[in-house]
Amino acid sequence: MRHIAESSLSLLSEAHLQRLQRNGFQAILPGIESWYSLGNKSKTRRTGMDKVTQVAEHVNLILRYVPYVQTNFVLGLDCDEGPEPFELTKRFLDLTPGAFPAYSLLSAFGRAAPLNLDYQRAGRILPFPFHFLNNNHAMNVRPANYGWVEFYDRLVDLSRYSFSGRAIGRRFMATHAAIPRWMNVVRAVSSEGWGRIEYHTTIRRLLDTDRDVWAYLHGETDRLPAFYANRLRHDLGEM
């Protein structure tokens, strides 16, 4: 039997990794989330570059026992500010060429989490339809420390760095099993890599050219812009 699992880094000690290897685990998707908070997931009190170095060493250890690793990040958290969070992620990619990065945009789902209620009380929730709340095609929480233009500039830059030809090549060479090696390539050049670069670049362009998109993202109106409405209709098709 072969297995894939999501896990916090804090659970992935070397003894546990050896056990996972014996039991046929082929892929692990640990959550890193942020370089400044959520340290309980990565079992570290460090922040910034110190955390990057520690987590990179841990992820490289995981790759010795599990052939495929996807590292999960959340972008736009309130603890993030300026270029540093994005630049630290680039440094992490340099230190762990075998890991596939997955980026989620900060999203609030429903009213169950206390933090989501805080966002609502602060008037930071945008009324995106459920269809777009997949962590990638819309960010329904206005970021605390970034304007939308700066945020999308940095998001596009990080995405291009993560799925450049150089990054894809380094990931290919650092992955030793055949299926994980080619899976990394396919994911990078498909909708998960290049496709999201194109999508985020489109949103960045619309912030300059489409007043409706600008007003919606800045909370000036709750009327869904044509760009999103048309995409929703296209995705639903006959539905």
Side-chain angles (χ1 to χ4, degrees):
M1 294 176 64
R2 297 179 180 179
H3 308 282
I4 296 173
E6 287 191 282
S7 174
S8 297
L9 283 172
S10 59
L11 300 176
L12 299 176
S13 64
E14 188 162 13
H16 286 170
L17 291 169
Q18 292 169 348
R19 184 177 179 185
L20 293 175
Q21 183 185 54
R22 289 195 302 270
N23 285 281
F25 278 78
Q26 301 297 305
I28 290 289
L29 289 69
I32 297 172
E33 321 301 4
S34 168
W35 302 119
Y36 297 101
S37 66
L38 303 174
N40 58 318
K41 285 196 171 187
S42 55
K43 201 175 183 179
T44 177
R45 295 181 181 273
R46 299 180 182 181
T47 60
M49 191 61 204
D50 288 342
K51 182 175 179 179
V52 170
T53 302
Q54 180 178 335
V55 172
E57 292 175 354
H58 196 165
V59 170
N60 287 327
L61 172 67
I62 296 170
L63 283 163
R64 287 165 47 189
Y65 294 96
V66 180
Y68 195 90
V69 175
Q70 172 184 300
T71 51
N72 297 326
F73 299 88
V74 178
L75 304 179
L77 291 165
D78 287 3
C79 58
D80 292 345
E81 185 174 3
E84 189 173 32
F86 298 87
E87 295 302 316
L88 288 175
T89 303
K90 292 180 184 179
R91 301 291 76 78
F92 172 78
L93 298 179
D94 294 339
L95 294 171
T96 56
F100 187 94
Y103 304 119
S104 295
L105 305 182
L106 176 62
S107 300
F109 301 99
R111 301 179 179 181
L115 187 57
N116 290 359
L117 296 177
D118 291 340
Y119 293 144
Q120 291 177 42
R121 282 190 286 265
R124 293 173 56 193
I125 300 295
L126 300 174
F128 273 104
F130 178 78
H131 182 78
F132 294 103
L133 299 186
N134 58 5
N135 289 326
N136 291 287
H137 287 122
M139 180 170 162
N140 73 336
V141 181
R142 286 190 288 116
N145 300 315
Y146 297 96
W148 284 115
V149 169
E150 180 189 7
F151 179 79
Y152 271 96
D153 279 342
R154 300 198 184 285
L155 172 59
V156 169
D157 177 64
L158 175 60
S159 299
R160 287 175 175 167
Y161 191 91
S162 305
F163 304 113
S164 65
R166 174 180 176 273
I168 293 171
R170 293 183 75 236
R171 204 170 291 127
F172 185 88
M173 297 304 297
T175 306
H176 302 296
I179 292 177
R181 170 179 279 184
W182 286 106
M183 186 182 298
N184 278 335
V185 174
V186 171
R187 293 183 70 191
V189 302
S190 69
S191 60
E192 289 190 78
W194 291 359
R196 285 179 189 164
I197 294 173
E198 181 180 4
Y199 181 84
H200 296 323
T201 301
T202 297
I203 301 299
R204 173 61 186 87
R205 175 177 53 79
L206 290 173
L207 283 165
D208 286 339
T209 61
D210 190 318
R211 175 61 189 170
D212 290 341
V213 170
W214 173 277
Y216 190 78
L217 290 179
H218 286 83
E220 296 177 3
T221 178
D222 61 0
R223 182 178 178 84
L224 191 69
F227 168 78
Y228 292 106
N230 292 338
R231 185 177 181 90
L232 195 155
R233 293 190 186 96
H234 176 269
D235 290 349
L236 291 178
E238 294 298 324
M239 297 292 290

